[in-house]
Amino acid sequence: MKKIELEIIALSHSITQTHSYAVVLGEVFGQRRLPIVIGGFEAQAIAVALEKMNPSRPLTHDLMKNIFHSFSIELVEIIIHNLEDGIFYSKLICTNQEETMEIDSRTSDALALAVRFGCPIYTYENIMESASLVVEEEMEATEPEPRPVVNPSETASKDDLQIFSLEDLQKMLDDVLEKEDYIKAAAIRDEINRRK
């Protein structure tokens, strides 16, 4: 079965599940997008690696990478190989000097490791057909960076934000920035900019 290479193009709050995030994978040579819901811890692990942050102590996925290196195991690729009842299944393809191994993995953990190892991410056509979204070229040209998806249950809607004064909005913006809640901050900032 032909593999389709993917790359991480966005990480945002999930609009379908509270306290979850969505990682959006895009075809390297195509316009389809594959959104996958992941937990907050895994989203943080992916974000830390994408932003090349260096925590003072190793996170779980950093520890796994260190163990792999200590035992001369290389992560060659990850494959998102199955989709059942809305759950994506992945495997790590690893090698040492003697053999190639396939290790079952949660997709979120596999992605966090792929970012750390710089290895390719693959899936199959049947998964893309059943779960991907198509982004048209015109949209891509006008919006090169995907915007975060705001979870309505965690943030006031655009209509709700319209009832606040600019002064109140600025106070709200300062508050959410202090809490490092950048998703809420983006919604508030957009409302402030819309009024200017």
Side-chain angles (χ1 to χ4, degrees):
M1 205 179 309
K2 183 183 174 201
K3 295 186 292 189
I4 298 168
E5 188 171 358
L6 304 170
E7 61 186 343
I8 297 173
I9 59 170
L11 186 63
S12 64
H13 274 100
S14 169
I15 59 172
T16 59
Q17 296 183 20
T18 307
H19 306 300
S20 293
Y21 291 78
V23 60
V24 181
L25 303 175
E27 279 182 293
V28 172
F29 301 107
Q31 289 144 345
R32 292 180 292 181
R33 304 292 183 250
L34 186 65
I36 300 175
V37 175
I38 62 174
F41 174 77
E42 293 80 6
Q44 179 186 18
I46 292 169
V48 163
L50 286 173
E51 297 298 321
K52 299 187 183 349
M53 296 177 184
N54 290 316
S56 58
R57 301 293 299 142
L59 299 175
T60 304
H61 298 94
D62 298 318
L63 173 62
M64 290 176 68
K65 181 181 179 187
N66 293 340
I67 292 169
F68 276 41
H69 282 302
S70 295
F71 289 95
S72 300
I73 299 169
E74 188 61 35
L75 180 58
V76 178
E77 63 188 26
I78 72 161
I79 301 174
I80 303 168
H81 65 89
N82 197 9
L83 174 60
E84 260 181 53
D85 299 323
I87 299 171
F88 291 90
Y89 292 83
S90 295
K91 55 187 169 185
L92 310 174
I93 308 301
C94 305
T95 62
N96 62 18
Q97 289 139 3
E98 299 160 9
E99 63 181 318
T100 297
M101 301 154 279
E102 291 184 5
I103 302 171
D104 184 37
S105 174
R106 294 186 314 163
T107 299
S108 54
D109 291 326
L111 294 172
L113 288 171
V115 173
R116 283 165 173 76
F117 278 90
C119 73
I121 303 164
Y122 294 103
T123 194
Y124 298 118
E125 183 61 36
N126 63 321
I127 293 173
M128 292 301 284
E129 283 179 15
S130 63
S132 69
L133 308 167
V134 177
V135 177
E136 295 182 25
E137 284 185 48
E138 292 173 13
M139 285 178 61
E140 228 173 85
T142 58
E143 286 188 49
E145 290 295 319
R147 296 187 55 114
V149 179
V150 178
N151 184 341
S153 67
E154 296 181 12
T155 290
S157 71
K158 289 180 182 178
D159 293 336
D160 292 341
L161 290 174
Q162 291 176 358
I163 65 172
F164 294 103
S165 68
L166 274 173
E167 184 179 320
D168 290 337
L169 288 170
Q170 190 59 54
K171 286 179 187 175
M172 289 169 59
L173 181 61
D174 294 341
D175 183 50
V176 295
L177 285 173
E178 186 174 311
K179 293 176 184 173
E180 297 183 359
D181 189 342
Y182 301 115
I183 302 297
K184 287 181 184 177
I188 296 167
R189 180 209 58 216
D190 289 348
E191 177 61 23
I192 292 171
N193 289 341
R194 188 189 64 74
R195 295 186 190 187
K196 289 183 178 178

